[in-house]
């Protein structure tokens, strides 16, 4: 099993950038995405956003679904935890 100290060394950061909503012609994209994630059942289990929409889980699921569908790779999944890695 991978050790927790190495967890962050095994991660790759991907940043998405959206314009900040201004209440006029630019909507609050972050809030729209977070609300959609919550509606779809992707809930943050703990921390300061507990109970809110889990944007990371929602985006990862969208990516996995797209790759499974368009690439014909029905088994494709993105590992997101050390527990998944350890169970192999």
């Amino acid at each position: 099993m991978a050790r927790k100290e190495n967890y962050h060394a095994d991660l790759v950061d991907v940043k998405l950038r959206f314009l900040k909503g201004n209440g006029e012609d630019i909507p609050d994209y972050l809030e729209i995405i977070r609300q959609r994630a919550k509606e779809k059942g992707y809930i943050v289990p703990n921390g300061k956003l507990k109970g809110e929409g889990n944007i990371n889980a929602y985006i990862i699921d969208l990516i996995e679904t797209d790759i499974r569908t368009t690439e014909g790779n029905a088994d494709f999944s993105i590992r997101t935890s050390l527990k998944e890695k350890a169970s192999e």
Side-chain angles (χ1 to χ4, degrees):
M1 180 171 154
R3 293 178 6 170
K4 190 170 185 174
E5 303 90 61
N6 298 331
Y7 177 69
H8 291 288
D10 290 340
L11 295 178
V12 174
D13 288 340
V14 175
K15 294 185 181 188
L16 298 174
R17 293 180 177 191
F18 301 99
L19 289 173
K20 185 176 181 180
N22 64 8
E24 295 173 12
D25 60 334
I26 300 173
D28 186 347
Y29 297 116
L30 181 60
E31 184 55 35
I32 292 168
I33 296 166
R34 182 172 283 129
Q35 184 58 38
R36 184 64 179 151
K38 188 173 184 177
E39 290 168 6
K40 300 279 284 180
Y42 301 97
I43 307 297
V44 176
N46 49 34
K48 69 179 183 176
L49 294 177
K50 182 177 181 176
E52 293 297 317
N54 186 332
I55 294 171
N56 285 345
Y58 178 47
I59 291 171
I60 287 170
D61 186 57
L62 290 172
I63 293 167
E64 288 174 336
T65 300
D66 178 65
I67 291 174
R68 284 185 205 125
T69 304
T70 60
E71 300 295 322
N73 186 351
D75 297 328
F76 181 80
S77 65
I78 298 172
R79 286 188 240 171
T80 58
S81 76
L82 292 175
K83 291 177 185 176
E84 293 173 27
K85 190 174 183 179
S87 66
E88 293 181 341

